[in-house]
Amino acid sequence: MNKKNEFPTFPAGCESLLCKHLTKEIFEELKDKKTQNGFALEDAIHSGVVNPDSGIGVYAGDLESYTLFSKLFDPIIQEYHGFSPEDKHKSNLNPNDLDAPNLDPKGEYIVSTRIRVGRNVADLPLGPAITKEQRNEIEKNVSQSLQAMSGNLAGRYYPLKGMNDDIKAALIADHFLFKTGDRFLEAAGLNRNWPEGRGIYHNDEKTFLVWINEEDQLRIISMQMGGNILEVFTRLSSAIQEIEKKVAFSYSEHLGYITSCPTNLGTAMRASVHIKLPKLAQDMTAFKAITDKHFLQIRGIHGEHSESEGGVYDISNKRRLGVTEVECVQDMVNGVKELIAKEKLL
Ligand code: ADP
Ligand code: ILO
């Protein structure tokens, strides 16, 4: 058991970026520092300390965490995104710059497409350090702004508190809603006061959705069945522009959009397909060679830390910082094109 404010010990075989980059020297230098929101090093590392199977293991409590604890965050960001402290982030949400032809016209491989971005409200703490009152205020303001949306983005907000259990389970099983009780988020302090202040907004077709106050204060999502990636990106891009007219988001020239998990910094974008690759899945080395080449990540179909089912995988961009939104989606498009070509050959 690790003691408070003592250098944590990690079990043998621990592969998290936290355990790799948290040296005793850095720990001693940072352990008594706190951001203006009272967020300390031990809060930032708690999730990775109690979950040694974490891939990353750290969360930020606010924008200041990224500078105050930069000796820990910078090498983690560098290793995950290949982005150095001198680099600047860049943005491009223009669908006209995306080269995304229909990769699967007969609908044999791509089951569904989803692109999401994370956003947090400017000048407030991030989820791990936010107060209950601040969180509830965000829910109120953001859900009101969303309910004023029109056209194909018009919809309704459904608070998690009081949501019927069957409806909740169906929304999760159909990949629309976040799960409850994630142990990584729990240890990061992101599940405090659950389910209060959380909820989901969606249009009737459930092609445009916004999660409120999960890992990030907003997760803006565009998704639909099949492989029309351009349509999904175009919808997301216009939705983001609409929301940005009403809500100011936390953004820095260096790190782009600020998120609680450093893997999401920058574009905060994850563009994914659920894709059937049963033959290629028999040879994970060949599979991984293609995903690595295109900077892609393989997940199971019930989200991160879940397994594949029936040869269907969640394939998404891994890089999010120092690349534009168009480049994130382009990574996914290029890789999926090659994955389908390989599956066809087998
Ligand atoms: P994130 O919100 O960070 O992308 P997850 O990996 O937890 O995190 O995914 C959230 C939900 O979105 C899960 O239910 C997952 O199955 C679903 N999802 C992700 N990609 C797709 C996709 N291409 N089609 C359908 N559902 C998807
Ligand atoms: N803290 C977890 C998850 C890291 C990346 N994923 C998300 C959802 N942010 C880990 O370190 O494995």
Side-chain angles (χ1 to χ4, degrees):
M1 183 74 167
N2 288 291
K3 285 208 194 116
K4 238 174 144 53
N5 238 14
E6 258 185 30
F7 185 63
T9 49
F10 296 96
C14 176
E15 288 180 351
S16 71
L17 297 188
L18 168 66
C19 106
K20 180 166 172 191
H21 294 291
L22 183 68
T23 61
K24 192 141 202 299
E25 197 190 352
I26 291 178
F27 181 84
E28 290 303 327
E29 187 183 329
L30 301 181
K31 71 174 189 189
D32 296 320
K33 294 189 191 291
K34 277 191 178 175
T35 68
Q36 284 192 8
N37 293 302
F39 196 74
L41 180 71
E42 67 176 305
D43 303 315
I45 66 175
H46 189 251
S47 188
V49 171
V50 304
N51 296 295
D53 59 338
S54 293
I56 315 297
V58 291
Y59 289 87
D62 41 29
L63 174 56
E64 192 190 346
S65 305
Y66 285 109
T67 46
L68 191 65
F69 307 124
S70 61
K71 288 211 166 139
L72 174 62
F73 277 108
D74 280 354
I76 290 178
I77 290 169
Q78 169 98 52
E79 182 161 345
Y80 184 87
H81 296 280
F83 184 85
S84 75
E86 296 74 43
D87 289 338
K88 271 196 179 163
H89 182 64
K90 47 192 180 174
S91 177
N92 178 9
L93 272 158
N94 187 349
N96 295 331
D97 294 333
L98 182 70
D99 177 17
N102 192 341
L103 300 176
D104 182 23
K106 291 194 198 143
E108 293 166 275
Y109 302 96
I110 302 177
V111 180
S112 52
T113 304
R114 173 182 185 265
I115 311 180
R116 61 81 166 159
V117 293
R119 293 287 186 268
N120 290 279
V121 178
D123 305 322
L124 281 176
L126 296 164
I130 203 162
T131 66
K132 183 168 110 170
E133 291 69 31
Q134 288 168 323
R135 193 192 301 109
N136 289 347
E137 193 63 17
I138 290 175
E139 182 195 33
K140 191 171 126 221
N141 294 339
V142 174
S143 62
Q144 272 176 6
S145 301
L146 290 170
Q147 296 200 100
M149 294 190 84
S150 57
N152 71 341
L153 304 178
R156 253 188 75 189
Y157 178 66
Y158 304 85
L160 200 60
K161 195 173 165 189
M163 189 185 282
N164 171 299
D165 281 345
D166 293 336
I167 294 180
K168 201 190 312 167
L171 282 172
I172 295 171
D174 291 340
H175 309 288
F176 296 123
L177 182 61
F178 46 83
K179 295 181 265 193
T180 300
D182 180 278
R183 67 188 157 94
F184 301 89
L185 301 190
E186 177 69 35
L190 276 156
N191 292 348
R192 287 170 301 129
N193 314 112
W194 193 277
E196 199 176 325
R198 279 79 176 188
I200 183 172
Y201 169 92
H202 64 74
N203 64 1
D204 283 347
E205 306 88 63
K206 301 199 188 87
T207 53
F208 166 58
L209 308 95
V210 183
W211 294 355
I212 298 187
N213 288 323
E214 196 240 8
E215 180 175 313
D216 289 305
Q217 290 153 6
L218 285 86
R219 283 286 172 91
I220 306 170
I221 302 163
S222 171
M223 64 194 283
Q224 67 193 46
M225 299 307 284
N228 194 335
I229 298 168
L230 184 59
E231 196 167 290
V232 174
F233 183 63
T234 304
R235 184 190 304 113
L236 180 72
S237 175
S238 52
I240 293 172
Q241 285 169 39
E242 279 302 302
I243 299 173
E244 270 182 339
K245 286 181 193 159
K246 294 172 185 153
V247 188
F249 293 129
S250 182
Y251 186 85
S252 103
E253 283 239 312
H254 171 48
L255 294 175
Y257 288 99
I258 302 304
T259 54
S260 60
C261 177
T263 64
N264 283 321
L265 288 166
T267 59
M269 174 171 277
R270 193 169 86 87
S272 66
V273 288
H274 277 183
I275 180 169
K276 289 183 219 162
L277 299 168
K279 293 182 186 147
L280 188 54
Q282 302 303 310
D283 181 357
M284 284 313 281
T285 311
F287 194 165
K288 280 211 83 236
I290 299 175
T291 53
D292 286 350
K293 177 176 156 197
H294 295 281
F295 313 102
L296 301 179
Q297 198 175 50
I298 307 173
R299 294 187 181 184
I301 56 157
H302 293 291
E304 194 173 25
H305 310 109
S306 75
E307 296 299 317
S308 155
E309 273 172 28
V312 183
Y313 290 84
D314 172 327
I315 304 296
S316 63
N317 62 297
K318 184 164 181 255
R319 303 189 294 178
R320 310 187 218 289
L321 174 61
V323 286
T324 67
E325 290 81 357
V326 166
E327 288 169 313
C328 289
V329 183
Q330 199 66 58
D331 277 349
M332 193 266 274
V333 171
N334 297 345
V336 166
K337 188 173 171 193
E338 194 169 333
L339 288 168
I340 292 177
K342 184 83 182 165
E343 180 75 10
K344 276 186 183 161
L345 281 179
L346 295 171

